[in-house]
Amino acid sequence: MSVRHVTGGLGLLCAAWGGWLLLQQPEPWRIAVWLGGAVVVHDGFVAPLVFAVGLLAAAAGLRLRGVPRAALIVAGSLTAIALPPLLRPGPVANPTVLPLDYLRNWLLAMAALALITALHAALGALKRRAGRRA
């Protein structure tokens, strides 16, 4: 039995367990709607946006491989996670539900991601330049 078969079997077991847990909820349709919304946000917003950025980068002559590509994927994932509190700012009935400044924190996460990606690219360029001189 190959690793692929074992991994696929574990995935099926996890999906079955998740379905069983979903059916144990008092209102499983609400969770199903939320999960469907997550798929719509990913397929309708995040994936096309990442694809468009990749096309623009390719048109500009940039190669997005390795860390830059991973940074785009992480940025898209963080954005998808942050969308609900970002799109519904304002007071809530229970102030402990959304107690943080989500816009500021999302912007800080994006800036940190951009900085780490730029540092990685700069270090790679320095290593290549040092390799040419040696």
Side-chain angles (χ1 to χ4, degrees), residues 39-49:
V39 170
V40 168
V41 167
H42 176 271
D43 292 352
F45 175 71
V46 175
L49 184 62

Side-chain angles (χ1 to χ4, degrees), residues 17-89:
W17 183 43
W20 182 77
L21 290 175
L22 176 65
L23 294 175
Q24 302 303 313
Q25 298 299 312
E27 295 178 338
W29 61 271
R30 294 181 119 194
I31 297 171
V33 167
W34 185 86
L35 289 172
V39 170
V40 168
V41 167
H42 176 271
D43 292 352
F45 175 71
V46 175
L49 184 62
V50 171
F51 183 70
V53 169
L55 285 178
L56 289 173
L62 299 173
R63 292 178 50 183
L64 293 178
R65 299 193 194 275
V67 173
R69 183 181 291 175
L72 280 174
I73 293 168
V74 170
S77 300
L78 286 175
T79 301
I81 291 168
L83 273 180
L86 290 176
L87 294 178
R88 192 168 182 203

